[in-house]
Amino acid sequence: SQKGSSAIKQGFIRFDPLVGVELPSLDKSEVIPPTVQEVWQLIDTAAEMKSVGYGIIYLGAFTGLRRGEVLALRYEDVDWFQNVLIVNKSLARFPATDGFHKWVWRIGPTKSKKSNRRVGLPANVLQLLSSLKQASVNGEDLIFARAEGNLIDPDYFDDHIFNPIRRKAGLPDI
């Protein structure tokens, strides 16, 4: 309006109810990424455990993909001739309609339009993906899936795949 956007200026309220209110501090914990040695500890421990986490951690370490992006990958996202990975989807939370859960994880768009990208793959990662594809029953499905073929939701990955590997590797919460 001509008087401005303030509720006081417009006459809706007589005083500012926020005067004297202290806002809580913004505790932004510093993210400390694992060292190269810690990443190799995770990879080696996951391989030793014969966990599906081996491929997920290995791919994440060599490509820098987000957890949800790795878990949403399909073999069709690998350009085998140009040695690149096409990242154009991720796991995201959607409201559940079953009346039991608050949300469900589904494959959706990446975090932002800028997150859609092509990631170059070194030979060792292509070799890993190739061996995973040869071992899979259906080469067109998700690269990383549960035994039934369903997607691995990020909460399940954290609690049942990554944390046991991290603990066995003797690493702090990373």
Side-chain angles (χ1 to χ4, degrees):
S1 76
Q2 292 177 348
K3 294 182 179 181
S5 61
S6 169
I8 296 172
K9 288 180 183 176
Q10 293 182 17
F12 294 122
I13 57 176
R14 294 181 189 263
F15 63 94
D16 186 353
L18 298 178
V19 170
V21 173
E22 291 185 32
L23 294 174
S25 63
L26 295 175
D27 280 340
K28 289 197 174 196
S29 59
E30 183 179 350
V31 175
I32 301 171
T35 64
V36 173
Q37 180 184 1
E38 290 173 334
V39 171
W40 279 111
Q41 277 180 268
L42 286 169
I43 291 170
D44 292 341
T45 303
E48 181 183 304
M49 294 172 66
K50 296 183 180 2
S51 169
V52 68
Y54 169 75
I56 297 169
I57 295 168
Y58 196 93
L59 186 65
F62 278 90
T63 61
L65 266 63
R66 296 177 178 100
R67 177 187 58 181
E69 294 170 342
V70 171
L71 295 174
L73 287 174
R74 297 183 184 277
Y75 288 106
E76 66 192 30
D77 298 325
V78 181
D79 186 333
W80 300 98
F81 299 106
Q82 293 187 13
N83 301 344
V84 296
L85 193 60
I86 301 159
V87 181
N88 58 10
K89 58 188 158 298
S90 181
L91 290 184
R93 287 183 187 180
F94 290 88
T97 57
D98 62 2
F100 182 70
H101 298 94
K102 288 184 180 182
W103 67 80
V104 292
W105 291 97
R106 289 195 200 128
I107 295 177
T110 55
K111 189 173 178 180
S112 68
K113 291 283 185 194
K114 290 182 181 179
S115 296
N116 292 342
R117 61 202 183 278
R118 297 169 65 85
V119 177
L121 297 175
N124 57 336
V125 175
L126 279 169
Q127 185 177 9
L128 169 76
L129 291 171
S130 176
S131 64
L132 289 172
K133 184 173 183 178
Q134 289 172 4
S136 73
V137 177
N138 184 352
E140 299 304 316
D141 283 343
L142 293 164
I143 295 175
F144 303 106
R146 290 187 182 195
E148 323 83 60
N150 299 335
L151 60 84
I152 299 171
D153 74 61
D155 295 330
Y156 181 86
F157 172 77
D158 288 347
D159 296 340
H160 302 284
I161 298 173
F162 183 77
N163 281 332
I165 295 169
R166 178 190 55 79
R167 282 192 294 272
K168 185 165 184 178
L171 297 176
D173 192 15
I174 54 174

